[in-house]
Amino acid sequence: MSRNEKYNYIAGEWVAAAEFTENRNPSDLDDVIGHYAQASAQQTGDAIAAARAALPEWAAATPQFRAEILERVGTELMARREELGELLSREEGKIRAEGIGEATRAAQLFKFYAQEALRVEGIAIASIRPGVRVEVRHEPVGVIGMITPWNFPIAIPAWKIAPALAYGNTVVFKPADLTPGCGWALAEILSRAGLPAGVFNLVMGKGRIVGDAIARSPLVDAVTFTGSEATGRGIRGIVAERGGKVQQEMGGKSPLVVLDDADLDNAIDCAIGGSVISTGQRCTSNTRIIATPAIHDALVEGMAKRTRALVVGNALDPASHIGPVVDQKQLDTNLRYIAIADDEGAERLCGGEILERPQRGFYLSPAVYANCTNQMVHVREEVFGPVVSVIKAADYEEALAIANDSDLGLSSGICTKSLKYAEDFKTRSASGMVFVNLPTAGVDYHVPFGGKKASSYGPREQGRAAREFFTSSKTAYTNPL
């Protein structure tokens, strides 16, 4: 890592910050990844001003020019996916294979939106008036502020930055304070991709300083945010009050319904693969398992057996199935919810214990709870850790009702061989994404991503659906005299 890690990227230049933060590996606290700049409110304002100044030129750039730049970024990300995946694993804690997979996904996103840049299309509509022509065009929104989370520190920035640039917007990007290394690495690649100065800007730092400045600036036309519900509500209030456009993804408590006719091995795979894998640090994790009576006991037994066999260790160790929790604060949160679950009377079948490993790190064994109810605190609130709870339901209708009884609605799943119940669940599930015989955590990049209820606000992310947020429509009437 070069000395530029102590710099933000503003108006086409690496700009030194007065303060920086030390970034350590959650798998090995003796491993210092780097020292990263902490932008001030003034630097953030400079980045916003640079993005505003660069907007006219970039908005007028040809689709081919934008496409070539995005393709260049995607190609470098793909070529360096192992290196970047390892950085991601050192920084966030997911195992190396998952880190490489995420870096690959970032590359795919840039390549997808390189092609979308060539497909910014409008429509011509016949007017109700003779001789008048009507067109609907899609134009850039303007300056986009981006505030991204630590759990997918390169893929989520990619699925925000790539479409923003493809549709002609300029960007002010604030990565999560816990994972600045991936944000910096992505920015460094973008800095060499041929973008005009000011089109893309990186400002690393605290949310209360950098994020607040982005949310409050009248020069920022829209803000896209992924993170906690509480922070999202605060940002939404600030941006909406000044008339800005908002897009938010704010978590989930995804249910997985397992019916009596389900394939047991597949159901166990879905229940564990979609919950405690990735240390449970995914907003789409199916941490509420709702099983009907005939399969319930075998499912619970299989989940506990499968979980006990998982190896928790250093993210870079090939033997590890699960890496560490991201930091001490999140570990404390996980332990608090485990204590709550114990106090609520849920039956802890395995896990929930701090683990000692050769390197100092935030290691926690994944926990499986049985005999849960949907009213328990640990079942209703998002833990964001490797904790999965099993609820017994009398039949499909009760299971569906329990699944829908949540303030959140990002994703949901069902395991069944019944086409009848699968189709009914897809229709009646109160979530933005539905999975049949699959874990709820795992999405494609070329289709819409988003939820219902408190999970999401504003237009969907990813795929062609991203156009709705990153463009505004203009209706043009012509009377050809």
Side-chain angles (χ1 to χ4, degrees), residues 182 201 304 390 413 437 468:
C182 288
N201 303 271
V390 185
N437 295 321
E468 184 178 348

Side-chain angles (χ1 to χ4, degrees), residues 264-434:
L264 179 61
D265 287 338
N266 180 71
I268 293 169
D269 288 343
C270 293
I272 298 306
S275 60
V276 301
I277 297 299
S278 298
T279 325
Q281 295 174 161
R282 297 178 291 187
C283 56
T284 52
S285 294
N286 46 242
T287 53
R288 289 190 298 145
I289 311 301
I290 307 160
T292 47
I295 200 169
H296 174 275
D297 291 354
L299 176 69
V300 167
E301 180 182 352
M303 287 174 60
K305 181 179 179 180
R306 185 74 55 85
T307 302
R308 292 188 192 102
L310 295 173
V311 177
V312 180
N314 192 305
L316 298 182
D317 185 342
S320 297
H321 299 118
I322 300 175
V325 176
V326 70
D327 72 346
Q328 185 65 54
K329 181 179 178 182
Q330 185 61 49
L331 178 60
D332 291 342
T333 296
N334 296 348
L335 293 172
R336 178 170 63 83
Y337 276 108
I338 287 167
I340 289 171
D342 292 340
D343 291 343
E344 288 178 314
E347 180 187 0
R348 195 195 319 181
L349 301 179
C350 62
E353 300 168 342
I354 293 177
L355 302 173
E356 297 293 330
R357 292 293 181 263
Q359 298 87 18
R360 292 186 307 123
F362 304 115
Y363 296 104
L364 179 68
S365 58
V368 176
Y369 280 94
N371 295 326
C372 300
T373 73
N374 204 48
Q375 302 312 311
M376 291 178 173
V377 172
H378 82 281
V379 176
R380 296 201 70 81
E381 298 181 4
E382 186 177 31
V383 178
F384 220 64
V387 180
V388 59
S389 310
V390 185
I391 303 166
K392 183 184 283 188
D395 52 25
Y396 169 72
E397 287 296 332
E398 184 180 26
L400 176 65
I402 293 170
N404 286 341
D405 180 17
S406 175
D407 295 331
L408 300 168
L410 182 55
S411 60
S412 64
I414 186 169
C415 292
T416 181
K417 295 176 184 175
S418 166
L419 182 61
K420 169 187 171 182
Y421 287 129
E423 290 301 312
D424 186 78
F425 189 81
K426 285 191 284 185
T427 300
R428 295 169 64 194
S429 175
S431 64
M433 298 179 289
V434 181

Side-chain angles (χ1 to χ4, degrees), residues 240-253:
E241 185 177 3
R242 63 174 181 77
K245 194 173 184 181
V246 184
Q247 176 191 64
Q248 296 182 324
E249 296 297 339
M250 297 170 288
K253 192 69 180 180

